[in-house]
Amino acid sequence: MNLDEILSKGVSIGASDVHFTVGLAPMARQVGNLLPLSDYQRLSPADTKELLLGILNEDQKVKLVSRGEIDLSYSIAGVGRFRVNIYHQRGTIAGAFRTIPTEIRNLDELGIPRVVGTVADKQRGLYLVTGPTGSGKSTTLAAIIDMINSSKACHIITLEDPIEYLHKHNKAMVNQREIGSDSENFANALRAALREDPDVILVGEMRDPETTSIAVTAAETGHLVLATLHTVDTVQTIDRIIDQFPAAQQGQIRIQLAGVLIGVMSQQLMPNKDNSGRVVAVEVMMATPAARNLIREGKTHQIYSVIQTGAKYGMQSMDSSLRDLFLTRKISKEEAISRAIDPEELRRMIGG
């Protein structure tokens, strides 16, 4: 078996992911469904070991043994790039390859509301793109970075684990650092970035209090910071940030966050009605004075009402986005309700 051949076939059929695990043929995720790739037999322990360890250098093999898993990127000339996680399971080697398109699509093509593009005009502040794994967060952020790169003479630093979309220097200078190879962790890389004269910093994930604290400080000190979290809506995002910190520090981080937040965008990818592709549902919250005040006062649950009444600022709730996708016949009623934040409210919005 040839790894590049298998991955190339996955790309050719539009798979978002290709999986290798013992006891199954290589599996491809198409429009959210996981199906075996035809023409391939079930993988043995020797097969996965040969296929997956073959792309690791010696240092990465050591890390895989010591940690049990490793993240990296992988490229095939003329085919594309992949975000890779190789891991141990039941004494064998397994791997997941996420396809990364070579072309960076713009926000309109992605179905992202245009108000999100206004973030590219900001000089400072913190903007968060959130959603579950595989919801397209990296693709949205790449589109925003590309907008900045095409319009501003500035310095962009991205901190990623691993690097996904490759950005060429355009009007901006773009330096991309991979966590694990170019820097030990997000906190160290972000702390160092503040000494590297950046205008814009992309943080692949704010996964701990130290990284979050430095990111907020960077936004306070005149940088535009873009970051992701694995949360499903605005309120959960803000609460997750605050809850990372000890109770004694939460009041202070609320004040800081209220001061620097530009907005939060949460997204979900789902199959379209005829199962021929995927569409995105999006919640958008822009940090108006009312929203900032609710964050500062710890009344985050009331932010839903700010979103629902904030259409003139470009805001929309996740459930209203799902309603619109259903009414325009892009997704089924069942899909809309299964993805809703408040299923009963969505049933009422779409009439039963």
Side-chain angles (χ1 to χ4, degrees):
M1 277 188 199
N2 181 281
L3 179 67
D4 288 6
E5 176 189 296
I6 296 169
L7 293 174
S8 298
K9 180 161 187 177
V11 170
S12 72
I13 63 172
S16 62
D17 302 83
V18 179
H19 294 266
F20 299 85
T21 194
V22 170
L24 293 171
M27 304 290 286
R29 188 176 294 279
Q30 293 178 273
V31 198
N33 297 313
L34 204 56
L35 302 167
L37 280 171
S38 59
D39 303 327
Y40 294 101
Q41 298 178 340
R42 293 184 179 186
L43 298 168
S44 69
D47 290 332
T48 59
K49 188 173 182 179
E50 179 182 351
L51 289 168
L52 302 175
L53 295 188
I55 67 172
L56 302 182
N57 60 36
E58 292 306 315
D59 182 52
Q60 289 169 329
K61 289 176 183 177
V62 170
K63 288 179 179 177
L64 175 61
V65 171
S66 63
R67 299 175 181 175
E69 66 275 325
I70 188 168
D71 292 309
L72 64 148
S73 54
Y74 185 66
S75 300
I76 303 174
V79 176
R81 285 170 47 78
F82 303 84
R83 187 182 75 194
V84 185
N85 183 275
I86 297 175
Y87 55 98
H88 287 287
Q89 71 93 24
R90 295 175 63 181
T92 64
I93 304 293
F97 289 69
R98 166 70 49 83
T99 57
I100 304 169
T102 53
E103 180 184 351
I104 299 174
R105 299 164 66 191
N106 63 45
L107 295 176
D108 284 342
E109 292 172 325
L110 295 172
I112 303 297
R114 291 190 175 184
V115 68
V116 175
T118 63
V119 175
D121 299 325
K122 304 293 184 183
Q123 299 297 316
R124 59 176 291 274
L126 174 66
Y127 191 76
L128 302 171
V129 176
T130 77
T133 299
S135 60
K137 299 185 294 296
S138 297
T139 302
T140 298
L141 284 170
I144 297 172
I145 291 292
D146 193 57
M147 289 179 69
I148 298 169
N149 190 19
S150 302
S151 61
K152 290 184 179 180
C154 64
H155 182 198
I156 301 169
I157 293 179
T158 76
L159 313 175
E160 304 172 70
D161 182 19
I163 291 171
E164 297 191 31
Y165 289 88
L166 298 178
H167 296 274
K168 297 178 181 178
H169 305 301
N170 194 346
K171 285 195 173 180
M173 175 175 68
V174 187
N175 285 305
Q176 296 183 259
R177 306 193 66 204
E178 186 161 290
I179 304 304
S181 57
D182 297 323
S183 186
E184 186 177 357
N185 54 53
F186 278 110
N188 286 357
L190 186 50
R191 192 179 295 107
L194 297 180
R195 300 191 294 271
E196 293 158 3
D197 187 33
D199 299 287
V200 180
I201 305 171
L202 167 65
V203 184
E205 188 180 345
M206 296 201 312
R207 53 175 70 159
D208 57 74
E210 186 178 14
T211 303
T212 301
S213 180
I214 301 168
V216 170
T217 299
E220 285 181 319
T221 54
H223 304 88
L224 175 60
V225 180
L226 309 172
T228 73
L229 281 91
H230 290 104
T231 45
V232 298
D233 63 18
T234 296
V235 172
Q236 188 184 108
T237 298
I238 294 168
D239 287 343
R240 175 77 59 84
I241 290 172
I242 303 302
D243 290 344
Q244 286 182 341
F245 294 86
Q249 297 178 28
Q250 290 183 3
Q252 179 61 34
I253 198 67
R254 283 187 184 279
I255 292 170
Q256 289 180 283
L257 187 60
V260 301
L261 191 65
I262 297 169
V264 179
M265 190 200 84
S266 302
Q267 60 184 78
Q268 298 185 63
L269 273 180
M270 64 204 72
N272 60 16
K273 195 168 185 177
D274 63 6
N275 221 37
S276 63
R278 295 197 289 178
V279 294
V280 65
V282 180
E283 177 173 285
V284 179
M285 189 282 288
M286 303 304 289
T288 59
R292 293 179 189 276
N293 197 46
L294 292 174
I295 294 170
R296 194 178 294 113
E297 294 181 357
K299 299 177 180 178
T300 51
H301 62 282
Q302 295 182 24
I303 288 177
Y304 285 125
S305 63
V306 172
I307 295 171
Q308 290 166 347
T309 59
K312 67 179 179 180
Y313 301 107
M315 295 194 229
Q316 65 181 32
S317 68
M318 180 61 71
D319 289 351
S320 67
S321 178
L322 290 166
R323 175 202 62 199
D324 292 345
L325 289 173
F326 167 71
L327 293 177
T328 54
R329 301 176 182 271
K330 292 179 180 176
I331 61 173
S332 67
K333 181 178 180 179
E334 294 73 23
E335 189 70 44
I337 291 172
S338 72
R339 303 278 184 157
I341 302 299
D342 185 342
E344 290 305 317
E345 174 65 11
L346 182 58
R347 283 193 179 93
R348 187 193 64 76
M349 291 166 69
I350 62 179

